[in-house]
Amino acid sequence: MLARSAEEPPSGDGWAFEIKWDGVRALAYVEDDLRLESRTGEDITRRYPELGGLPASVDRPAILDGEIVAFDEDGHPSFQRLQARMGLTSPIQVTRRTRDTPVTYMVFDVLYLDDRLTIELPYEERRRLLAGLELEGPSWQ
C-alpha cells in the first residue's frame, strides 16, 4: 500500500483516507523484542531506540505497519527534521540524535496479530483490531 498522486480523491463507498505523515515507512515485527524494517527490507531497529518499548505495549506477537515521524516545534510532521535520524550507523550518533530529534511511530495498520495474518480481513476489521491495541506510548500511537 503506497500513497500516490491523483487529480481528485476517489468518490463513492469503499475508500478510506490516511494522513500523509512525511516519515519513513516501517514494519514493526513485535514479539519479545522489536525489529523495524524499512520499505526496502533493511533492518532499521538500531536507528530508533526510543521505539524499543513497543513490545511491552502490544504484549503479544504482531506485525504493524506505520511511519516513523519527527515533528517540528509546532507539532507538524517534518521530513527535514527526520533526515537527521536516517542512515545513522554509529551508536554514539544515534544516541545524540535521539535526544535532539525524537521520533514517533505512527501505526496505521495491523498485518498480523495473535498468530493470525490479518491482511485478508476487511479494512474496518483491521482498524478495529488496531484500535483495540490502545497504542498510546511515549514514542508510538
Side-chain angles (χ1 to χ4, degrees):
M1 180 172 60
L2 293 175
R4 62 180 182 203
S5 298
E7 294 295 319
E8 293 182 23
S11 61
D13 294 336
W15 292 96
F17 300 94
E18 298 284 346
I19 295 171
K20 183 178 182 325
W21 288 109
D22 256 352
V24 170
R25 184 79 174 267
L27 293 179
Y29 294 84
V30 178
E31 291 187 81
D32 294 331
D33 59 359
L34 174 69
R35 182 170 57 90
L36 296 168
E37 186 177 285
S38 74
R39 198 172 69 194
T40 62
E42 180 183 4
D43 185 339
I44 57 173
T45 310
R46 289 192 210 148
R47 293 182 194 159
Y48 306 102
E50 63 265 61
L51 304 180
L54 184 59
S57 183
V58 175
D59 198 30
R60 51 189 153 163
I63 300 174
L64 307 173
D65 191 1
E67 292 223 16
I68 299 169
V69 179
F71 293 97
D72 65 17
E73 299 79 25
D74 297 323
H76 299 109
S78 172
F79 190 75
Q80 184 176 12
R81 281 183 56 92
L82 183 62
Q83 286 177 315
R85 297 289 302 274
M86 296 166 56
L88 297 179
T89 56
S90 161
I92 292 170
Q93 288 179 322
V94 169
T95 300
R96 184 178 305 129
R97 295 296 171 127
T98 299
R99 286 191 305 264
D100 299 341
T101 310
V103 299
T104 302
Y105 184 52
M106 305 301 292
V107 184
F108 50 73
D109 204 354
V110 57
L111 308 178
Y112 176 91
L113 187 63
D114 294 329
D115 299 320
R116 177 177 145 205
L117 280 174
T118 60
I119 56 176
E120 297 297 326
L121 295 175
Y123 172 80
E124 294 86 3
E125 176 72 10
R126 292 194 324 272
R127 293 300 286 201
R128 187 185 63 72
L129 291 171
L130 181 59
L133 292 175
E134 299 179 0
L135 295 177
E136 291 290 329
S139 298
W140 54 85
Q141 55 179 297

